[in-house]
């Protein structure tokens, strides 16, 4: 299969991120700056399916470089050629338009910002850079981009971190970057080279929703106090009387709280008067099976108890807001949540440092 990008003279394609290689085809649509796999307007790939996605980056042409007058819209055509499983050769052409705005304020750009797509694109660029650069340099590059974005688009007073306010369209972006820095894509410790390559390949080809789950897993809570509901990916969400369902895309983990695990070992679910408890145990397993039904590659489903050996999967993903160094951290197993033994900074510490650097930049 092949993907070719053709543009009007007022912008050029800088590169692509995804499961492809350059075919080194030059044209007037190729930008001088390379982002991802650049220097060409055509890329080849071994196979395509309905979940394969690519990130395409463009570079606008300045008025001095642009031949003629700039119009209100710029255009791009994406030409995809492939051989169908039935043996037919097919060509699909997609034409897209983009409105040109020569001078725009941050307030005018804010409604057009898609923080989910931006987080996935920045994650793919980070992974691409990690293949040829040291991970420390990639993390610093990621931090610089995040600081510049917050400094430009957040409302704040100079030298006052407490005054930083992000619009709703930007509010989740720093949180995505926090989890990306801690993910297996940029932290290769405890992963073999094969595992790291597999994780990064999946990030490069999956749709945005799946990539967001890889970056920031989803967490659902099941208890007798309330119906199943999403909860924060945080240490405070781990409660002894609740069951948690963690979806990391690669793994689906069912985590039983300490009290739930004790009741299960006592076989309360087999007694007729505790039918509601049996239904509580079955609910997350049913939802886990529904999650993996249409997902490929099929994730591994595991069940564990609080503080069990496999619970480390959950502890490595949650925000360590409660650690052994937190005030009152000696209250092990308290109702306020689970203590996570780690030296990683919590999301609150990360945000405090981000605000401080943004108002000073």
């Amino acid at each position: 299969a092949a993907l070719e990008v053709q543009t009007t003279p007022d912008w050029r394609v800088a590169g692509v991120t995804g499961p492809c290689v350059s075919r080194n085809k030059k044209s007037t649509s190729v930008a001088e700056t390379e982002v991802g796999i650049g220097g060409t307007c055509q890329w080849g790939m071994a196979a395509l399916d309905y979940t394969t996605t690519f990130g395409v980056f463009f570079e606008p042409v300045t008025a001095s470089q642009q031949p003629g007058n700039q119009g209100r819209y710029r255009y791009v055509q994406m030409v995809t050629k492939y051989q169908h499983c039935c043996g037919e050769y097919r060509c699909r052409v997609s034409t897209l338009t983009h409105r040109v705005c020569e001078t725009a304020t941050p307030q005018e750009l804010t409604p057009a910002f898609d923080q989910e797509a931006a987080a996935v694109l920045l994650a793919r660029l980070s992974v691409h850079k990690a293949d040829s650069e040291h991970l420390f340099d990639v993390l610093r590059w990621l931090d610089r981009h995040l600081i510049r974005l917050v400094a430009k688009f957040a409302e704040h007073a100079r030298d006052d971190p407490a005054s930083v306010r992000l619009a709703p369209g930007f509010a989740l972006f720093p949180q995505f970057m926090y989890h990306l820095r801690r993910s297996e894509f940029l932290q290769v410790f405890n992963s073999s080279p094969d595992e790291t390559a597999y994780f990064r390949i999946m990030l490069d080809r999956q749709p945005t929703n799946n990539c967001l789950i890889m970056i920031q897993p989803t967490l659902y809570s099941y208890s007798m106090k309330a119906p199943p509901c999403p909860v924060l990916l945080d240490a405070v969400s781990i409660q002894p009387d609740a069951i948690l369902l963690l979806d990391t895309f690669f793994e689906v983990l069912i985590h039983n709280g300490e009290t739930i695990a004790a009741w299960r070992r006592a076989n309360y679910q087999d007694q007729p008067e505790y039918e509601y408890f049996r239904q509580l145990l079955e609910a997350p397993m049913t939802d886990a099976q529904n999650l993996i039904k249409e997902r490929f590659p099929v994730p591994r489903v595991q069940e564990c108890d609080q503080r069990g050996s496999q619970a480390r999967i959950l502890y490595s993903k949650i925000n360590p807001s409660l650690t052994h160094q937190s005030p009152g951290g000696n209250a092990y197993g308290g109702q306020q949540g689970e203590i996570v033994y780690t030296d990683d900074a919590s999301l609150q510490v990360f945000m405090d440092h981000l605000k401080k650097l943004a108002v000073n930049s």
Side-chain angles (χ1 to χ4, degrees), residues 8-24:
T8 48
D10 41 11
W11 62 343
R12 297 168 184 166
V13 59
V16 163
T17 58
C20 60
V21 295
S22 170
R23 287 195 170 177
N24 295 318

Side-chain angles (χ1 to χ4, degrees), residues 17-19 51-55 114-125 127 175-177 179-181 183-185 198-218 233 247-250 295-297 317:
T17 58
T51 64
T52 305
T53 59
F54 299 90
D114 188 332
Q115 56 187 339
E116 289 85 3
V120 173
L121 288 174
L122 201 55
R124 290 186 176 186
L125 279 179
V127 166
Q175 183 175 312
F176 291 144
M177 294 300 100
H179 289 287
L180 174 63
R181 296 176 89 263
S183 69
E184 58 267 31
F185 306 114
Y198 167 72
F199 294 146
R200 292 176 176 178
I201 288 173
M202 288 296 105
L203 179 69
D204 254 353
R205 67 177 295 118
Q206 290 292 326
T208 301
N209 289 340
N210 289 344
C211 291
L212 285 175
I213 294 175
M214 299 180 201
I215 296 171
Q216 180 176 321
T218 59
L233 191 64
D247 181 14
T248 71
F249 184 82
F250 303 107
R295 183 176 295 176
F296 182 82
K317 297 294 184 181

